[in-house]
Amino acid sequence: MGGLIAQVGANNRGLAREGLRALNGSVPITPLDLPVVPPLNGVQKELAHFGVALDKNIPSKTATNLLIGTWNLRAFGGLTRSWESTRGDSPKRNWHAVACIAAVSSRFDVIAVQEVRRDVTALRTLMTMLGPTWKFMTSDVTEGSAGNSERLTFIYDTDRVQVSGLVGEIVLPPAADGPVEQFARTPYAAGFTRGEVDFLLTTVHVLWGASPAQRLPEITGFAQWMRDWADRPNDWNQNLFVLGDFNLDRIGNPLFEAFISTGLWPPTELNNVPRTIFDASGANHFYDQIAWFSEPDGTSLLESMTYTGRAGHFDFLPHLYPDLTRNEVSWRISDHYPLWAEFTI
């Protein structure tokens, strides 16, 4: 097991911690050359309306709840250091877009992020905007073309959760006839605590491949590895969650059946929510998931924490960039929606 633990922004002010707040006063330029206060004539007004939409769609943080999220942020790497991108800018993602991503991320106690790239400029800027109580842990890049220069990352609010000390990357053991093919992007696991309760999150971005058949071995191997981990006695395996982009198809499809075959089960509240901004029909795909282990009769195996029955996605499209196409928005925010689930501790 291994990984990179990073802490950013101890002396920086953030845009938000529980939604975006109005900003005022003079804020010095940060080491990232980021003017923390956005232009008053547009961006702040939009962010204020965005915060209202978030209030209506994602539960507030309380003393007893735990909010876990997951979000595939498309090619989250480089950044144009400006509040407004021009026609020739590459990438199109800028401070404005990251401020919107920060507003969403701040609603969760911990969020797993997929597609963080080798270049962590956008990630560091996001942490600056979230503020000094927010920290992150990120994996190394999985080398090779299938790895796509991607990291897997957890971002968490230290006012709400703490790291437990466990962090690791999942490596499959050799088979009887020799080495096995490893994951295209190595799944990343991290332990967290809230009060006296430990919980473990493992995030993954399954290889898309040329066909669903190419995804099946990774999904099957991952589900079985997690089941074996859950069953090992005297191991650090309390309250195991899996979350991320599994590139699953529909319920009943072989990919989905492989995912749930070992007892992993996502909440039914996520069954009919769209996963991507191009999934207009609502329930076409099940790419992104949040799941945990249950008994065959459906009894949850979570200990000292309970699913509240509330989970969902957040559709940011109606609230941002009204003059851009969906594809243009996808390169600024993402082509995936964030998913979330709520628990009581």
Side-chain angles (χ1 to χ4, degrees):
M1 287 189 171
L4 174 67
I5 298 178
Q7 297 182 346
V8 179
N11 297 314
N12 293 331
R13 290 185 176 180
L15 282 176
R17 287 176 48 195
E18 296 184 12
L20 288 177
R21 302 170 181 164
L23 298 177
N24 53 58
S26 175
V27 180
I29 300 298
T30 75
L32 292 175
D33 298 327
L34 171 67
V36 174
V37 178
L40 294 174
N41 61 349
V43 175
Q44 278 197 339
K45 186 176 181 180
E46 180 188 70
L47 293 176
H49 288 297
F50 196 49
V52 172
L54 286 162
D55 287 339
K56 293 179 179 178
N57 287 275
I58 299 175
S60 298
K61 296 178 181 180
T62 70
T64 58
N65 73 351
L66 176 72
L67 290 161
I68 295 175
T70 183
W71 200 0
N72 179 322
L73 288 175
R74 187 174 195 177
F76 197 63
L79 190 69
T80 292
R81 297 186 178 188
S82 169
W83 285 105
E84 295 186 11
S85 295
T86 62
R87 181 184 294 264
D89 285 340
S90 180
K92 295 299 184 184
R93 183 176 282 127
N94 57 16
W95 290 329
H96 178 187
V98 176
C100 297
I101 292 168
V104 177
S105 301
S106 71
R107 297 301 169 121
F108 308 115
D109 296 316
V110 58
I111 180 171
V113 179
Q114 302 84 48
E115 285 203 39
V116 174
R117 291 296 180 86
R118 191 186 302 272
D119 180 350
V120 293
T121 303
L123 176 62
R124 293 181 62 221
T125 302
L126 173 60
M127 300 311 299
T128 300
M129 289 183 171
L130 285 169
T133 68
W134 285 81
K135 301 290 183 278
F136 74 89
M137 294 185 291
T138 192
S139 70
D140 295 328
V141 169
T142 303
E143 299 296 342
S145 59
N148 199 33
S149 296
E150 291 182 24
R151 305 175 187 270
L152 293 163
T153 302
F154 294 105
I155 299 171
Y156 59 101
D157 182 353
T158 62
D159 279 346
R160 302 274 295 175
V161 300
Q162 300 293 325
V163 293
S164 67
L166 176 68
V167 63
E169 295 177 322
I170 294 176
V171 177
L172 296 173
D177 55 351
V180 299
E181 185 173 357
Q182 296 296 328
F183 297 102
R185 293 177 280 255
T186 308
Y188 191 50
F192 297 89
T193 63
R194 174 77 173 276
E196 301 298 318
V197 179
D198 280 7
F199 59 99
L200 291 157
L201 306 182
T202 302
T203 185
V204 67
H205 186 190
V206 168
L207 176 71
W208 176 253
S211 68
Q214 288 194 337
R215 304 199 288 275
L216 187 59
E218 278 207 341
I219 292 170
T220 303
F222 176 77
Q224 187 58 60
W225 201 99
M226 294 301 300
R227 180 78 254 184
D228 292 344
W229 187 8
D231 290 342
R232 286 195 291 268
N234 304 316
D235 202 343
W236 201 336
N237 55 6
Q238 183 185 35
N239 295 325
L240 289 177
F241 289 86
V242 303
L243 65 175
D245 184 355
F246 293 86
N247 279 316
L248 300 178
D249 286 325
R250 302 157 182 81
I251 288 179
N253 180 275
L255 297 176
F256 189 85
E257 293 304 312
F259 180 77
I260 65 173
S261 64
T262 60
L264 283 171
W265 202 258
T268 57
E269 287 74 18
L270 294 180
N271 283 354
N272 295 317
V273 302
R275 269 40 178 198
T276 82
I277 65 175
F278 303 113
D279 227 353
S281 64
N284 274 356
H285 300 103
F286 284 63
Y287 297 142
D288 307 281
Q289 289 291 351
I290 300 172
W292 55 95
F293 284 105
S294 299
E295 298 284 8
D297 64 1
T299 302
S300 171
L301 294 180
L302 297 177
E303 302 176 23
S304 302
M305 60 189 304
T306 304
Y307 172 55
T308 66
R310 295 205 291 179
H313 79 305
F314 177 67
D315 182 359
F316 48 82
L317 283 175
H319 313 290
L320 302 171
Y321 300 113
D323 298 325
L324 298 183
T325 67
R326 288 179 181 241
N327 187 57
E328 288 171 331
V329 173
S330 77
W331 291 106
R332 289 162 171 81
I333 306 298
S334 184
D335 54 340
H336 287 243
Y337 295 117
L339 295 187
W340 59 268
E342 182 189 44
F343 304 85
T344 56
I345 296 292

